[in-house]
Amino acid sequence: MNKLLKIGISGLALTLVFSAGAFAATVAPKIIVNGNQVKTQTLPKIINGTVYVPIRAISEGLDASIQWDNTSKTVYVDSDPNFGMERSSVAYVANRNLAYRWIMAYDERDYQGVLDVVTPDFKTDIYNESFPAGTYNMGTIVEMKPVASTDSTLTVRIVQRVTAEDEYKVKVERWHFVFGQGKIKSVKRVPDTAKYLDRYTLFPGANFGI
């Protein structure tokens, strides 16, 4: 009787182990990018102990551009399929530096710093006439990244903390800069690029949101 009981318990234990393994193999892993779960129709898979994830889901979660070249069977992530001679690295760096100076002056409510880098006829929809007075519901910029440019324009991806009375979220959107006369002529929000996230992780230990 004791022998039968031991065998029965051992068999039950083996059944539980294999059942747990089968369960783990059938549950799709989650994809978390910058602290937010990415939803995708193509589920991640575990094959021979390696996790495979759809590159489009990862790229879009990072707000990176992605292109597929069917002829060469190549995926381009934040890359130029038609890479050749640089258009003008000097113009890009100069415009980027101006844009970054404007962004930091705006974020620090440094009105004179803003005026120093803009033309007399400067236009923007980022702030109103009351700038820099007041800080209510103003965002704190935690990350900025150029995503597109020409010799006279630059588009920057902006990540901001957004505070209000009953919520604390992170806003991601794109700002379009136009340059002329060695200064900034305008800064406008790119339509339909704003999205709100519950949280945003720059790197481990630097987390923003709720």
Side-chain angles (χ1 to χ4, degrees):
M1 184 63 137
N2 289 338
K3 184 180 293 187
L4 289 175
L5 179 60
K6 288 180 181 178
I7 293 174
I9 293 175
S10 299
L12 177 60
L14 287 172
T15 300
L16 291 174
V17 168
F18 284 116
S19 295
F23 174 76
T26 58
V27 174
K30 295 180 181 178
I31 303 174
I32 305 295
V33 177
N34 287 133
N36 300 277
Q37 184 171 352
V38 176
K39 302 291 186 181
T40 173
Q41 292 183 342
T42 304
L43 297 178
K45 296 180 180 179
I46 300 176
I47 302 176
N48 296 329
T50 300
V51 179
Y52 292 83
V53 297
I55 192 170
R56 181 171 295 279
I58 297 295
S59 300
E60 291 177 351
L62 292 169
D63 204 16
S65 67
I66 182 168
Q67 298 182 64
W68 166 249
D69 185 338
N70 192 52
T71 302
S72 63
K73 307 301 182 191
T74 304
V75 178
Y76 293 89
V77 180
D78 270 349
S79 300
D80 186 357
N82 303 309
F83 179 80
M85 295 298 293
E86 293 183 3
R87 182 174 51 249
S88 176
S89 59
V90 174
Y92 163 76
V93 171
N95 292 342
R96 182 206 60 191
N97 291 350
L98 274 175
Y100 278 20
R101 286 173 61 191
W102 186 93
I103 292 168
M104 295 311 300
Y106 161 75
D107 196 45
E108 295 172 356
R109 312 334 185 233
D110 178 3
Y111 189 53
Q112 187 57 50
V114 166
L115 294 181
D116 287 344
V117 295
V118 301
T119 59
D121 59 345
F122 172 75
K123 292 180 172 51
T124 185
D125 60 4
I126 305 299
Y127 61 79
N128 56 31
E129 293 77 7
S130 66
F131 176 82
T135 58
Y136 176 76
N137 206 30
M138 294 279 290
T140 299
I141 296 170
V142 298
E143 188 176 40
M144 48 191 173
K145 174 189 175 185
V147 293
S149 73
T150 68
D151 286 346
S152 60
T153 68
L154 182 72
T155 302
V156 181
R157 176 181 181 266
I158 300 292
V159 181
Q160 293 176 286
R161 290 189 308 160
V162 179
T163 58
E165 291 183 351
D166 58 352
E167 65 179 353
Y168 176 46
K169 292 187 177 181
V170 177
K171 182 181 183 181
V172 181
E173 65 181 348
R174 298 189 178 199
W175 294 356
H176 184 70
F177 289 76
V178 177
F179 305 91
Q181 306 165 26
K183 292 195 172 183
I184 301 171
K185 296 180 66 175
S186 68
V187 185
K188 299 288 183 70
R189 292 183 174 90
V190 178
D192 303 320
T193 60
K195 60 181 178 181
Y196 288 85
L197 306 175
D198 288 334
R199 62 189 61 83
Y200 191 87
T201 299
L202 280 171
F203 50 83
N207 304 294
F208 303 86
I210 54 176

